[in-house]
Amino acid sequence: MTDPVPISALQHWAYCPRQCALIHQEQAFEDNIHTARGQAVHHLVDQPGYEIQAGVRVERALPLWSEEYGLIGKADLVEFHTDGTLYPVEFKHGRKRGALHDDIQLAAQALCLEEMLGRPVAKGAIYHASSHRRREVPITEALRRLVVETTQAIRAMLASGVLPAPVNDARCRECSLHDICQPTVVAAPGPYRGALGRLFDPTD
Ligand code: SF4
């Protein structure tokens, strides 16, 4: 079996393929205000355990995997309802807003739960810590296909060893890897090209 792809890599890829490669291929990571806030939120759910809330068993930090899709990861929370319903909840900092990169992570968790427990997962939720609100996400066919396609794309990227080009857009402003990535320099034509070309010229 090929190495499993971390579920977190799907979120990184959906945000920016270069960010995914820097983290999962180059093992580069830097914190900024956004990652620090995210870590603070995950401290609420990073200790494995469970509790019963209104008859619902709530598991924290549940390990996940899928042999079929080659995925591995962890769910912040999974609710086990008495009627058999499984309901994953992913914690995010910030206010309630739709984000495909969050939804794809949740859908990957749903596919793992279905395979592990043999029961369908129709929906889950993103819990937005700043607004203390949940955003329910149906696990649609389109999201499921996106999980499969994204996992394949990440596996191909990791096998190639090639770093994707920078997106060099508004996403870079919130990216903790900005200084490592240097999106403007790498993407810009003109003055930087010559310097980049000479950077590794042993005759210089
Ligand atoms: S700085 Fe921009 S291009 Fe570079 S990894 Fe971050 S989002 Fe992607």
Side-chain angles (χ1 to χ4, degrees):
M1 182 185 145
T2 51
D3 286 343
V5 171
I7 291 175
S8 62
L10 276 68
Q11 186 209 12
H12 296 137
W13 179 277
Y15 186 80
C16 166
R18 186 173 172 89
Q19 185 194 69
C20 178
L22 286 168
I23 295 171
H24 298 277
Q25 184 170 278
E26 308 280 324
Q27 276 76 50
F29 201 78
E30 281 289 323
D31 275 319
N32 67 2
I33 185 70
H34 302 291
T35 58
R37 283 179 179 153
Q39 284 163 15
V41 167
H42 279 98
H43 275 315
L44 302 171
V45 285
D46 65 1
Q47 292 302 316
Y50 77 94
E51 54 198 67
I52 307 293
Q53 296 176 357
V56 177
R57 182 184 173 102
V58 181
E59 291 270 359
R60 292 187 305 274
L62 187 70
L64 299 174
W65 66 90
S66 164
E67 298 273 350
E68 181 176 354
Y69 302 110
L71 291 167
I72 192 163
K74 194 171 69 169
D76 289 339
L77 283 187
V78 180
E79 296 177 356
F80 291 76
H81 292 254
T82 49
D83 65 357
T85 300
L86 301 169
Y87 194 91
V89 182
E90 174 67 17
F91 277 44
K92 296 293 176 193
H93 76 85
R95 301 197 156 273
K96 184 177 170 184
R97 62 175 178 177
L100 183 63
H101 51 273
D102 293 339
D103 296 357
I104 192 173
Q105 187 179 11
L106 189 70
Q109 294 174 5
L111 292 187
C112 289
L113 284 168
E114 288 180 341
E115 184 176 323
M116 290 165 60
L117 301 171
R119 299 210 295 272
V121 179
K123 52 195 176 184
I126 306 293
Y127 172 72
H128 296 268
S130 297
S131 51
H132 303 289
R133 292 176 69 191
R134 283 186 178 192
R135 178 173 59 83
E136 191 160 87
V137 180
I139 310 300
T140 62
E141 280 306 315
L143 260 184
R144 290 166 186 269
R145 273 198 306 278
L146 203 52
V147 169
V148 173
E149 290 165 5
T150 304
T151 306
Q152 290 168 348
I154 293 169
R155 193 165 277 124
M157 178 274 291
L158 292 173
S160 76
V162 175
L163 208 56
V167 293
N168 198 27
D169 61 19
R171 284 170 278 184
C172 301
R173 282 202 295 274
E174 297 194 350
C175 178
S176 68
L177 300 184
H178 183 278
D179 289 351
I180 296 171
C181 171
Q182 294 293 316
T184 311
V185 175
V186 176
Y192 304 117
R193 284 270 184 244
L196 280 173
R198 288 194 299 275
L199 197 57
F200 300 109
D201 184 345
T203 61
D204 262 9

Short mmCIF file of all heavy atoms in Angstrom, two decimals, residues 15-16 18-19 22 165-169 171-172 175 177-178 181-183, ligand 1:
data_model
loop_
_atom_site.label_atom_id
_atom_site.label_comp_id
_atom_site.label_asym_id
_atom_site.label_seq_id
_atom_site.Cartn_x
_atom_site.Cartn_y
_atom_site.Cartn_z
N TYR A 15 -6.41 25.09 -0.20
CA TYR A 15 -6.11 26.52 0.02
C TYR A 15 -5.06 26.97 -0.99
O TYR A 15 -5.21 28.00 -1.65
CB TYR A 15 -5.60 26.74 1.45
CG TYR A 15 -5.41 28.19 1.79
CD1 TYR A 15 -6.49 28.98 2.14
CD2 TYR A 15 -4.14 28.78 1.75
CE1 TYR A 15 -6.32 30.33 2.44
CE2 TYR A 15 -3.97 30.12 2.05
CZ TYR A 15 -5.06 30.89 2.40
OH TYR A 15 -4.89 32.23 2.70
N CYS A 16 -3.99 26.19 -1.12
CA CYS A 16 -2.92 26.53 -2.06
C CYS A 16 -2.03 25.30 -2.23
O CYS A 16 -1.42 24.85 -1.25
CB CYS A 16 -2.10 27.70 -1.52
SG CYS A 16 -0.53 27.93 -2.40
N ARG A 18 0.90 24.97 -3.39
CA ARG A 18 2.29 25.22 -2.98
C ARG A 18 2.42 25.15 -1.45
O ARG A 18 3.41 24.64 -0.92
CB ARG A 18 2.74 26.58 -3.50
CG ARG A 18 4.22 26.89 -3.26
CD ARG A 18 4.55 28.18 -3.97
NE ARG A 18 5.87 28.70 -3.69
CZ ARG A 18 6.96 28.39 -4.38
NH1 ARG A 18 6.90 27.51 -5.36
NH2 ARG A 18 8.12 28.93 -4.09
N GLN A 19 1.42 25.66 -0.74
CA GLN A 19 1.44 25.58 0.72
C GLN A 19 1.46 24.10 1.15
O GLN A 19 2.20 23.70 2.05
CB GLN A 19 0.21 26.27 1.32
CG GLN A 19 0.22 26.32 2.84
CD GLN A 19 -1.14 26.68 3.40
OE1 GLN A 19 -2.08 25.90 3.32
NE2 GLN A 19 -1.24 27.87 3.97
N LEU A 22 4.95 22.73 0.51
CA LEU A 22 5.95 23.23 1.47
C LEU A 22 5.83 22.49 2.80
O LEU A 22 6.83 22.14 3.42
CB LEU A 22 5.78 24.74 1.67
CG LEU A 22 6.26 25.62 0.51
CD1 LEU A 22 5.79 27.06 0.69
CD2 LEU A 22 7.78 25.57 0.42
N ALA A 165 3.75 26.12 -8.48
CA ALA A 165 3.97 27.58 -8.57
C ALA A 165 3.13 28.30 -7.51
O ALA A 165 2.07 27.79 -7.11
CB ALA A 165 3.57 28.07 -9.96
N PRO A 166 3.59 29.46 -7.07
CA PRO A 166 2.81 30.22 -6.08
C PRO A 166 1.53 30.77 -6.68
O PRO A 166 1.49 31.12 -7.86
CB PRO A 166 3.75 31.35 -5.66
CG PRO A 166 4.74 31.46 -6.76
CD PRO A 166 4.86 30.13 -7.41
N VAL A 167 0.47 30.84 -5.85
CA VAL A 167 -0.77 31.44 -6.33
C VAL A 167 -0.62 32.95 -6.42
O VAL A 167 -1.23 33.60 -7.26
CB VAL A 167 -1.98 31.06 -5.45
CG1 VAL A 167 -2.28 29.57 -5.56
CG2 VAL A 167 -1.76 31.44 -3.98
N ASN A 168 0.19 33.51 -5.53
CA ASN A 168 0.51 34.94 -5.55
C ASN A 168 -0.74 35.81 -5.64
O ASN A 168 -0.85 36.67 -6.51
CB ASN A 168 1.46 35.25 -6.71
CG ASN A 168 2.16 36.59 -6.51
OD1 ASN A 168 2.34 37.04 -5.38
ND2 ASN A 168 2.50 37.25 -7.61
N ASP A 169 -1.69 35.59 -4.74
CA ASP A 169 -2.90 36.41 -4.72
C ASP A 169 -3.28 36.73 -3.27
O ASP A 169 -2.42 36.62 -2.36
CB ASP A 169 -4.05 35.72 -5.49
CG ASP A 169 -4.44 34.37 -4.90
OD1 ASP A 169 -4.11 34.12 -3.72
OD2 ASP A 169 -5.10 33.59 -5.60
N ARG A 171 -4.68 35.19 -1.01
CA ARG A 171 -4.45 34.12 -0.03
C ARG A 171 -3.10 34.27 0.66
O ARG A 171 -2.93 33.89 1.81
CB ARG A 171 -4.51 32.75 -0.72
CG ARG A 171 -5.90 32.29 -1.05
CD ARG A 171 -5.87 31.06 -1.94
NE ARG A 171 -5.66 31.40 -3.34
CZ ARG A 171 -5.67 30.52 -4.33
NH1 ARG A 171 -5.83 29.25 -4.07
NH2 ARG A 171 -5.50 30.92 -5.57
N CYS A 172 -2.13 34.82 -0.06
CA CYS A 172 -0.77 34.90 0.48
C CYS A 172 -0.69 35.82 1.70
O CYS A 172 0.18 35.64 2.56
CB CYS A 172 0.19 35.38 -0.60
SG CYS A 172 0.22 34.30 -2.05
N CYS A 175 -1.14 33.76 4.78
CA CYS A 175 -0.39 32.50 4.81
C CYS A 175 0.85 32.64 5.69
O CYS A 175 1.68 33.53 5.48
CB CYS A 175 0.00 32.12 3.39
SG CYS A 175 0.98 30.61 3.32
N LEU A 177 3.38 30.85 5.64
CA LEU A 177 4.59 30.44 4.92
C LEU A 177 5.07 31.50 3.93
O LEU A 177 5.95 31.23 3.11
CB LEU A 177 4.34 29.12 4.18
CG LEU A 177 3.94 27.94 5.06
CD1 LEU A 177 3.80 26.68 4.23
CD2 LEU A 177 4.97 27.73 6.16
N HIS A 178 4.51 32.69 4.02
CA HIS A 178 4.83 33.73 3.04
C HIS A 178 6.33 33.97 2.92
O HIS A 178 6.88 34.03 1.81
CB HIS A 178 4.11 35.03 3.42
CG HIS A 178 4.31 36.13 2.44
ND1 HIS A 178 5.43 36.92 2.42
CD2 HIS A 178 3.54 36.55 1.40
CE1 HIS A 178 5.34 37.79 1.43
NE2 HIS A 178 4.20 37.59 0.79
N CYS A 181 8.01 30.99 1.26
CA CYS A 181 7.53 30.79 -0.12
C CYS A 181 8.03 31.87 -1.08
O CYS A 181 8.37 31.59 -2.21
CB CYS A 181 6.01 30.76 -0.09
SG CYS A 181 5.24 30.77 -1.71
N GLN A 182 8.06 33.12 -0.60
CA GLN A 182 8.44 34.26 -1.45
C GLN A 182 7.62 34.29 -2.75
O GLN A 182 8.17 34.25 -3.86
CB GLN A 182 9.94 34.20 -1.79
CG GLN A 182 10.83 34.39 -0.58
CD GLN A 182 10.74 35.80 0.00
OE1 GLN A 182 10.73 36.77 -0.72
NE2 GLN A 182 10.63 35.90 1.32
N PRO A 183 6.29 34.36 -2.63
CA PRO A 183 5.44 34.24 -3.83
C PRO A 183 5.68 35.34 -4.86
O PRO A 183 5.66 35.08 -6.06
CB PRO A 183 4.02 34.30 -3.27
CG PRO A 183 4.15 34.99 -1.95
CD PRO A 183 5.48 34.57 -1.42
S1 SF4 B 1 2.51 32.50 0.32
FE1 SF4 B 1 0.85 32.25 -1.21
S2 SF4 B 1 1.73 30.94 -2.82
FE2 SF4 B 1 3.03 30.77 -1.01
S3 SF4 B 1 2.30 28.98 0.06
FE3 SF4 B 1 1.27 30.74 0.96
S4 SF4 B 1 -0.67 30.96 -0.18
FE4 SF4 B 1 0.67 29.62 -1.37
#
